[in-house]
Amino acid sequence: MQIDKIKTIINADLITMRGSKKSNLLLAAVTGCICIFGAFLVSPLVGSYLPLVTGLLIVPLLFQNEQRYHCDKLYCLLPVTRRDVVNARYLFTAALNLVTCLSNFAVTLVSYKFKVYLKVIGDDNDILDKLTAALSSSLSKTGVIVVTCFAMNALSFIMCSSILRNYFKNPESIGVNVSLSKSKKLKKSDYVGLGFTIVIMIFFLSIMTGQISIAPAIAVIAMVIGQLASVGDGFMLCFLLLFISAAETLFQYFCTLIEYTDKEM
Amino acid sequence: MKNTIKRISAALCAAVLMTGSSASAFADEVKKEEIILPSGMTLREFTKELEEYSDQCISGDIESTEEGSVSVGLFRGDEVIYTGYFGYTDYKENTPTDENCVYEWGSISKTLIWVSAMQLWEEGKLDLERDVREYLPEGFFQHLSYDEPITMLNLMNHNAGWCETTRAIWYTDSETIPPLKEALQCIEPAQVHRPGEVVAYSNYGAAVAGCVIECVSGMDYGEYVSQNIFEPLGLEHTSIMPDHSDDQWVYERRRQMKSVSVGGLSGYENGHQLKYAGAYPAGAATGTLADLITYGQALVSDEAPLFKSPETQQAMFTATDSYADSDVPVNMHGFFCFERGVRTYGHSGATPFGQANLEFDPETKVGAVVMQNEGLSSGWILGGVYPLVFGNLQADKYGSRQGSADLTGRHFVVSRAPHKGMLKFIPLLQTVQFTHEFDEMGGGLLQMSNGDEAAVMGVRTLSDGRTLIESTSVDVVSDSFYLPKLLLFTFYLLVAVTASYMLRIRLKLRRAHRDTAVIGSALSGAGHAARFVSVLSMLSSFVIYYKYFGGIPLSAGTVIGVIQMVCGGVCAVSAAGSAVTLIKGRKSRLAFILCVLNIAANILTIAAILFYELYRFGGC
């Protein structure tokens, strides 16, 4: 792996990202502000969802222009191997995600420290209190916040690496150039995905209307997770979450290496 | 004229009489409300506090209410001074709580065993200090580790040395409930402490005491309690049998009661939740608030209606266990002592379907009873009533501070946990760490103060050098090897996670028509699968343990145990295969590293399976 090549590829990606006025950067900024304000005005737990948003948006933000203008084929001409491209992009997205997660973690802890949200929503409406009570005191409030942040950060890394792998497989998967006017025959996997989505929607509607009682199931799962989390006030669970997210990111990277190397451009 | 005067006089007299009797009733009510409780609060203030809480926090909407069905009663001697019924027993039908609701006593049922034991002791039929094996059938215990005798006092103090059983203690079909002796022999846990050393609250130990009652009295335990406790006290709405077959009224009422879980993130009804305790003396009593109040009144009565002579009741309320070397009692022949503003005696109870508390002050003869239909959670009332009635322990009650005890930075393991068998890893997840220093009050008594209020514990050193912290019903013991045990368990989980990814990579390479041998042979693949399956089995035993409210059925335990043994065997073969590959000579650096990691991971998994006894489906 050559560091200079990686830096060059990253620079090229940044230039491509800034190459158009149409950008989801505004969307990302607005969402980020909502989460940060939510952390201070509603609950620190609201702010901990920001990594989920960044995990979803980092790859589209970085590569939407590349996908729109088909710049991905440019790397066939440049003196870089496909391995270098994969390495550079995984390193860059992971670093970006890490900075976002760490910043968000700091914001969440600051919000919890100063508790401005309690003045806004009142002491009786603290979501953190209810969640801590639901976990039957196996975690302190600080433990709940830390575990939630780590869980969201882990999920963010997993989503980001998965989306990046999908992008390498099929650049159109980030959906910038989707046009309803173009007749596009749906593939079998599209039908499967559609069916799956409908089943999930029916499932959630059933839960919301009380047709399926999920509270007892959630109670058992919450108790089991609570017990695992109780070790060191969440330390072991956080460590496991970190390990799983790192392992999943490495796995996605490994699969991308194989798939992108074999891909016909 | 005379007649008119007579009529007017008669009317005036009648009016005076009526007003007088109303005034007298009114005066009685006023007097009652001015009763001062041991905490110093008046009954009027207590009632107002409960009513305000009820108005704010209890409603007919199960999603938002903070309490399910709760019944509260206060008594003073022979007089019932307060009863309150809150919430609903059925939220769909909007059935409010009333005096006919029945609740499960839970472990308050154990006090029936202790009263029975004292009755038999009074008659000279039972020696509390004799080894209970002399009363039980030959070979009753199969898993004892110590030769020391186990006495009835050990059973009352919960220090016979047994840990929690790994076997399920609840039956879902009332037809399959075995006789008491047989039920106990199915669930016998391991004896992990020397008798008398460590208090580990034990349902099994209490049920064994019930078995002793059977053997000594020559009657079934349920029959004995009905004849010698329920009937003399007139408890007509309480049952003792696990299927409530001894009281038809309770049988029908219990099948109308629904258990709930409220508060927290959302509330829901659990339905009728009928499960039956095999070791029923430890927790199967079910009845009304009025009956439990009557029982409590008998325990404070100077006439001691449960015994032939009041001296027996007085003897029952003498300390059998104290905090360390202090004279502050913890246990009085099975009744726990609670250090509040005044010292109270009593017992709490919890089943998965309901909770109850009974506490009384023997000096003022004031007692409080709370019963509810929430098993796994509780609102404020269950615990909040008692400080209101009896006050909080004041920090200066046991004199002045003589020093400080720093227990921070150490890990303590709960004694009431499965320390043997396939759930041996659970105590690892339930360690206690103290975050503050304690005040030493002398004689091993520790006190933790928060302003004017305090709580007490005891500290002792065991014969093997470990530190023991004593609380009301469960001790915690220091564990110097906690971190290595935690590391072993954590790495056991991590190697399983890694194994799952190795399997996915192997699958990916195969689909991409690449050589899978680059990441190891088929044997190493089998090792990955075995490690992953082992952790899945361990997690499923954990889920089953909670699903069955603390225990694994024999069938599930057998399957899990066999799976773990197979996984251990496969891991051993996989490690051996990698070792042979290494000995033959390495093919590449990557292959060498993977072989070494494979051997280490398999050895770690085997070590975890053996140390945590994950294969041990026989219980102990």
Side-chain angles (χ1 to χ4, degrees):
Chain A
M1 197 185 315
Q2 295 174 17
I3 306 295
D4 290 336
K5 271 191 185 170
I6 289 170
K7 278 187 192 170
T8 309
I9 294 168
I10 293 171
N11 272 333
D13 285 338
L14 284 173
I15 291 167
T16 313
M17 183 185 85
R18 290 196 293 263
S20 169
K21 286 183 184 171
K22 291 181 189 173
S23 169
N24 284 333
L25 201 57
L26 184 62
L27 173 66
V30 167
T31 313
C33 288
I34 290 173
C35 285
I36 290 170
F37 279 119
F40 281 100
L41 299 178
V42 179
S43 172
L45 294 176
V46 171
S48 68
Y49 286 96
L50 180 59
L52 281 184
V53 176
T54 54
L56 281 170
L57 287 180
I58 279 181
V59 171
L61 263 178
L62 282 174
F63 304 116
Q64 61 181 357
N65 286 330
E66 183 183 272
Q67 188 274 326
R68 182 181 286 128
Y69 302 114
H70 305 289
C71 301
D72 51 312
K73 294 180 173 48
L74 179 66
Y75 288 103
C76 298
L77 306 171
L78 296 174
V80 292
T81 63
R82 293 191 183 188
R83 192 187 192 100
D84 290 334
V85 176
V86 172
N87 291 342
R89 288 180 171 178
Y90 264 90
L91 269 175
F92 186 49
T93 52
L96 260 184
N97 213 9
L98 182 65
V99 167
T100 316
C101 292
L102 286 174
S103 310
N104 184 65
F105 187 47
V107 164
T108 307
L109 288 179
V110 166
S111 163
Y112 177 60
K113 167 87 178 154
F114 290 104
K115 293 187 175 48
V116 172
Y117 56 94
L118 286 180
K119 294 189 177 94
V120 175
I121 60 169
D123 290 342
D124 293 337
N125 296 321
D126 190 359
I127 303 168
L128 190 55
D129 267 342
K130 294 191 177 197
L131 193 57
T132 311
L135 291 171
S136 304
S137 73
S138 54
L139 273 178
S140 66
K141 280 193 198 174
T142 312
V144 168
I145 288 178
V146 170
V147 169
T148 307
C149 282
F150 270 74
M152 293 302 125
N153 292 345
L155 217 53
S156 167
F157 273 91
I158 290 169
M159 283 194 315
C160 184
S161 59
S162 177
I163 293 171
L164 186 57
R165 176 186 167 191
N166 281 340
Y167 175 71
F168 273 109
K169 253 167 60 172
N170 175 20
E172 287 185 13
S173 66
I174 60 171
V176 175
N177 263 357
V178 170
S179 170
L180 292 173
S181 65
K182 286 188 182 173
S183 61
K184 184 184 174 188
K185 196 175 174 183
L186 290 175
K187 291 183 281 192
K188 185 180 170 185
S189 57
D190 292 333
Y191 284 113
V192 170
L194 197 62
F196 189 67
T197 307
I198 290 170
V199 167
I200 294 288
M201 277 175 61
I202 293 171
F203 181 67
F204 273 110
L205 276 171
S206 305
I207 293 168
M208 297 296 283
T209 55
Q211 301 301 315
I212 294 176
S213 175
I214 203 165
I218 288 180
V220 172
I221 293 169
M223 198 185 297
V224 170
I225 293 176
Q227 286 289 311
L228 286 172
S230 65
V231 181
D233 201 20
F235 169 76
M236 187 167 105
L237 189 60
C238 289
F239 187 61
L240 277 171
L241 288 169
L242 267 181
F243 188 84
I244 290 170
S245 69
E248 182 69 26
T249 303
L250 279 172
F251 174 71
Q252 297 291 348
Y253 161 74
F254 180 77
C255 292
T256 307
L257 266 181
I258 296 176
E259 289 159 1
Y260 193 55
T261 312
D262 291 343
K263 186 179 171 186
E264 288 293 330
M265 300 294 270
Chain B
M1 182 65 174
K2 258 191 193 172
N3 280 340
T4 308
I5 292 170
K6 274 186 192 173
R7 282 184 195 140
I8 292 170
S9 304
L12 278 172
C13 285
V16 165
L17 278 170
M18 281 173 61
T19 312
S21 63
S22 300
S24 158
F26 179 69
D28 283 344
E29 278 302 311
V30 170
K31 248 199 242 173
K32 199 183 259 191
E33 289 195 334
E34 295 309 318
I35 289 173
I36 298 178
L37 300 171
S39 61
M41 186 182 258
T42 64
L43 186 61
R44 183 200 303 274
E45 288 165 340
F46 171 81
T47 308
K48 189 178 166 208
E49 186 103 15
L50 271 188
E51 282 170 3
E52 276 175 5
Y53 173 77
S54 170
D55 289 338
Q56 284 170 17
C57 300
I58 301 178
S59 70
D61 175 17
I62 196 169
E63 294 286 334
S64 60
T65 186
E66 294 291 319
E67 303 274 351
S69 167
V70 187
S71 297
V72 180
L74 299 187
F75 59 88
R76 184 178 64 171
D78 292 334
E79 189 187 3
V80 178
I81 58 177
Y82 173 81
T83 53
Y85 303 97
F86 305 94
Y88 294 81
T89 58
D90 189 329
Y91 282 84
K92 281 190 185 141
E93 304 295 328
N94 256 347
T95 312
T97 306
D98 62 19
E99 65 276 6
N100 291 319
C101 289
V102 297
Y103 303 91
E104 301 192 349
W105 284 26
S107 292
I108 298 178
S109 313
K110 293 180 174 71
T111 60
L112 298 170
I113 307 173
W114 314 136
V115 167
S116 304
M118 294 306 291
Q119 288 175 338
L120 293 172
W121 171 80
E122 185 181 44
E123 292 173 13
K125 293 179 181 174
L126 178 65
D127 183 348
L128 301 181
E129 295 182 45
R130 185 181 279 183
D131 193 336
V132 296
R133 280 173 281 190
E134 295 180 31
Y135 298 109
L136 295 167
E138 182 77 28
F140 186 84
F141 298 123
Q142 296 291 315
H143 304 296
L144 291 180
S145 304
Y146 298 93
D147 295 327
E148 279 87 338
I150 298 171
T151 65
M152 180 59 76
L153 284 177
N154 290 136
L155 301 181
M156 288 170 165
N157 291 335
H158 295 277
N159 61 8
W162 287 303
C163 63
E164 280 286 275
T165 180
T166 53
R167 302 286 285 275
I169 59 174
W170 298 97
Y171 292 82
T172 49
D173 182 358
S174 59
E175 302 293 322
T176 60
I177 307 171
L180 179 61
K181 289 184 189 64
E182 196 183 313
L184 289 178
Q185 284 175 324
C186 288
I187 63 167
E188 183 184 348
Q191 189 186 35
V192 296
H193 301 292
R194 201 173 296 279
E197 268 204 331
V198 176
V199 171
Y201 189 87
S202 175
N203 287 317
Y204 173 78
V208 165
C211 209
V212 171
I213 303 297
E214 282 192 347
C215 296
V216 171
S217 65
M219 300 161 70
D220 280 346
Y221 174 75
E223 199 184 330
Y224 179 91
V225 168
S226 291
Q227 282 187 18
N228 294 280
I229 298 178
F230 290 174
E231 281 172 25
L233 296 183
L235 305 188
E236 293 176 356
H237 294 140
T238 301
S239 74
I240 182 66
M241 297 306 290
D243 57 357
H244 320 108
S245 54
D246 54 324
D247 190 311
Q248 186 61 28
W249 190 90
V250 172
Y251 180 93
E252 286 164 13
R253 282 278 161 177
R254 177 61 184 88
R255 279 141 189 81
Q256 292 166 15
M257 165 68 79
K258 286 182 180 175
S259 167
V260 298
S261 181
V262 294
L265 292 174
S266 73
Y268 53 90
E269 279 185 328
N270 287 321
H272 298 294
Q273 287 289 336
L274 286 164
K275 289 189 173 51
Y276 311 100
Y280 74 91
T286 304
T288 60
L289 175 76
D291 272 10
L292 188 51
I293 288 175
T294 305
Y295 176 63
Q297 287 174 311
L299 293 170
V300 302
S301 169
D302 290 332
E303 287 159 23
L306 288 168
F307 303 103
K308 291 194 171 100
S309 85
E311 283 76 31
T312 309
Q313 183 158 297
Q314 287 162 21
M316 186 167 74
F317 292 129
T318 55
T320 51
D321 192 17
S322 304
Y323 288 108
D325 298 324
S326 72
D327 54 5
V328 179
V330 175
N331 192 306
M332 299 193 164
H333 292 91
F335 286 81
F336 290 111
C337 303
F338 303 99
E339 298 298 317
R340 300 195 185 274
V342 297
R343 180 177 294 156
T344 60
Y345 309 156
H347 213 291
S348 59
T351 71
F353 328 113
Q355 296 181 71
N357 276 352
L358 164 66
E359 271 185 52
F360 48 88
D361 171 16
E363 301 293 323
T364 59
K365 303 194 187 307
V366 169
V369 176
V370 178
M371 306 180 91
Q372 66 173 41
N373 68 342
E374 274 184 85
L376 303 174
S377 58
S378 70
W380 168 80
I381 293 180
L382 185 71
V385 158
Y386 297 90
L388 291 182
V389 177
F390 301 111
N392 291 306
L393 174 67
Q394 297 304 297
D396 56 357
K397 184 175 179 184
Y398 293 111
S400 53
R401 182 175 175 267
Q402 296 179 19
S404 68
D406 185 7
L407 300 168
T408 57
R410 298 167 69 179
H411 294 96
F412 291 85
V413 179
V414 177
S415 61
R416 187 190 177 184
H419 292 281
K420 288 277 184 189
M422 64 171 38
L423 297 172
K424 190 178 165 187
F425 63 90
I426 283 183
L428 194 69
L429 308 178
Q430 295 175 337
T431 53
V432 171
Q433 274 191 288
F434 298 102
T435 53
H436 300 95
E437 286 188 5
F438 288 88
D439 298 328
E440 277 184 356
M441 311 304 287
L445 186 70
L446 299 181
Q447 183 170 280
M448 188 162 57
S449 309
N450 180 13
D452 290 332
E453 297 171 9
V456 289
M457 285 190 280
V459 61
R460 280 196 289 120
T461 305
L462 294 176
S463 52
D464 57 8
R466 289 181 296 161
T467 303
L468 177 78
I469 305 294
E470 299 167 315
S471 64
T472 312
S473 62
V474 61
D475 293 350
V476 293
V477 186
S478 64
D479 188 352
S480 309
F481 298 102
Y482 170 71
L483 281 177
K485 289 178 189 172
L486 179 65
L487 277 174
L488 174 62
F489 188 73
T490 307
F491 280 116
Y492 169 62
L493 294 177
L494 290 180
V495 297
V497 170
T498 314
S500 71
Y501 280 101
M502 293 300 284
L503 288 170
R504 289 172 75 186
I505 290 172
R506 185 179 280 274
L507 192 62
K508 183 69 192 171
L509 285 172
R510 188 163 292 160
R511 281 187 183 160
H513 305 291
R514 302 280 182 103
D515 183 14
T516 58
V518 69
I519 59 163
S521 62
L523 262 184
S524 68
H528 298 322
R531 293 199 295 276
F532 185 63
V533 168
S534 173
V535 165
L536 279 186
S537 304
M538 181 273 294
L539 288 173
S540 63
S541 71
F542 196 48
V543 172
I544 293 170
Y545 175 74
Y546 278 103
K547 185 180 179 320
Y548 282 88
F549 306 114
I552 300 180
L554 179 60
S555 52
T558 307
V559 168
I560 292 171
V562 168
I563 289 173
Q564 291 286 7
M565 282 195 267
V566 168
C567 289
V570 171
C571 285
V573 170
S574 175
S578 293
V580 166
T581 306
L582 279 180
I583 291 166
K584 276 184 182 173
R586 60 186 172 100
K587 295 173 185 175
S588 66
R589 197 166 73 167
L590 178 63
F592 175 80
I593 293 170
L594 287 174
C595 278
V596 168
L597 289 176
N598 192 47
I599 292 170
N602 284 316
I603 289 174
L604 205 79
T605 302
I606 293 168
I609 290 174
L610 291 174
F611 181 78
Y612 287 109
E613 300 180 7
L614 300 175
Y615 57 89
R616 206 166 180 183
F617 60 88
C620 52

